Structure formats: C-alpha cells, structure tokens
Amino acid sequence: MQVQNVSPVFQSFDQQYTLAKRLFTDLTKLFRAKKAVELEEKLIFLEIYIELISRIHFNQEKLKFILFGPYKSLFRSLKKVLHIKLVIQALEEETATSGTSFNSYKKKLLKDRDLVYGNAYDEIFATPTHIWEELYKGAFEHSVQLKPLQISTATTQLINEELAFFKFDSEKQLEAKEIKDIYEGLQLIITLENIRMASGLNPTFTEIIHQYMNDLSRLLYQWYQNHLFLQHLTFSLSDAQDLPSKKYQTLLKKLKSNKKKLTAKAVSQCQHLFSDILG
C-alpha cells in the first residue's frame, strides 16, 4: 500500500490502528485491564475516523456499520472494564483518604471485577482477527484522494451537529446519560480538531476554547467516576439482608454530596462554554 497516495489525515488513523492492533494481539495472549482500557481509547479514535470518512462518502449509507459494526460488542466489553476499574480506583482513594476499610464491599467489588474481566477476555478471544484487516483496507480505500476541503467540511458538520446537542438549560439537572453524552461529544470534538490539524487545516476553535473543553472533559470524567462508584455501592448494599452499617451510610452520604457539588460545577462550566462562549 502506498500511504503517500492518501490524505495526510490517514497517517493519524494508521498510527492509532497500529497501536490498537498490537494491544488487541497482546490481550489475546494475556488479559491486562490496563491494556484493555488503552484499547478502548484507541477504538474511540478509530470509530471517530470512520464516522468522518462516512460523512465524506455520504452516498455509502452503511459504510460506518460495515467497517466499525463488528467492533461494537468488543467495545462494550472494554467499556465495562473501564467502569469497574474506575470504581476500584475510587474505593482505593476513599480508603486511603478516610482511613476506613470497606472489606465486605471490596470483596463484592473484586468478585464483579473478575466477572467483567473474564467476559472481556472471552469477547477478545472470540473476536475474529479478519475484522482488523477489513477495517484497515476500508479506511485506506476511503481515504484515497481526500481533499482538504472535504475534510474541513465534514469535520465542521460533525462538530456543529455535536454542539447543537449541547443546547443547554442551566436550570435543569444533568442526568447521567446527559453527562455521558456531553463527555463523549467533547471527545469527538477534540479528536476532530486534532484530525484537522494533522491534515494541515486550522482548528475550528481557539486555544483558550480548547482549554475550556479539556477542563470540562476532566470534570465530567470525575463526575462519572463518582456516579459509577455511587451506583455500584448502592446496588451492592441493596443486596444485603441487613441495613448498611454506619460507615457505609456515611460513604453513601459523601458520594451523594460529591455528586451534587460536581453536578453544580458541571452545569456552571457547560453554561459558560456552550451558552456564553459558543452560544
């Protein structure tokens, strides 16, 4: 294959694809949660790239489904690995900060972790290797002779559509799904901006707006980790026959308080970015 015949933007895909394929191959031999999370991050980029070329080749309606559809089940399993890792990390931080041990809950959490990791490994092992070659071949063929104007138009369309979803009522509480949608939308926008720059195009937004986006993305990540911890702990305690002990009641109260504070901060930052600056 002659990479020089395709748009420079394909080099970004080629780099991320190579790393993703290597992670996948390593995981088929030995499961490591850290590598599973890294693979999930790479798949996010590959999906966004396929979304971009699907927008350019809009006459091929099922292009994204054909190229990325085979990865959906794997992607979901890897996302669950990320979620359980975030909960474990949050518990470890809480234990270190408070000096309180939560042994019964930790035992349940580690049992759930083993189940999630086992399912993810089974999914990785069951994923046919030919989908990697088909993804690369399809991405390459649809990146031939892409013009800067096509990339500029498609990235602008995708970014504007995402921003339209963020029309935002500051009086309304952000629910978990909305937090997730905004977080994923920011990932999409930031990735598309990087793709634009890799193509030699100017970014859509200024450096200060990028900083606002990155700050908001980090806040929403923190919010989501707290949400997952609260959700998992609440579900685990609901299975117990007895009422939760005082230390668990205190922890639940703390997580709910954190959620309220982080939500208020997220609402404020969303309002500032999407209404005051980009509105």
Side-chain angles (χ1 to χ4, degrees), residues 175-273:
E175 301 297 333
K177 185 182 183 306
E178 292 167 311
I179 293 282
K180 177 174 173 287
D181 289 345
I182 294 173
Y183 177 69
E184 291 179 353
L186 287 171
Q187 283 183 303
L188 174 70
I189 291 170
I190 291 166
T191 300
L192 289 171
E193 287 283 75
N194 289 334
I195 286 174
R196 284 178 66 90
M197 289 184 280
S199 308
L201 298 167
N202 290 327
T204 308
F205 303 111
T206 63
E207 190 174 334
I208 189 67
I209 292 178
H210 279 208
Q211 187 60 54
Y212 284 135
M213 286 183 175
N214 284 318
D215 289 346
L216 178 56
S217 183
R218 282 190 288 270
L219 173 65
L220 296 183
Y221 188 83
Q222 187 182 358
W223 187 100
Y224 206 62
Q225 182 176 30
N226 185 82
H227 167 76
L228 290 168
F229 188 14
L230 175 59
Q231 187 180 52
H232 189 274
L233 178 62
T234 302
F235 181 77
S236 298
L237 293 177
S238 69
D239 277 352
Q241 294 181 342
D242 302 323
L243 287 172
S245 63
K246 186 176 179 181
K247 68 178 178 180
Y248 285 108
Q249 291 177 22
T250 301
L251 178 56
L252 283 170
K253 186 177 179 182
K254 180 178 180 180
L255 294 178
K256 288 175 183 176
S257 175
N258 287 346
K259 184 174 182 178
K260 190 174 180 180
K261 290 173 187 173
L262 289 167
T263 299
K265 199 170 178 182
V267 168
S268 175
Q269 285 195 23
C270 285
Q271 173 72 21
H272 182 55
L273 179 60

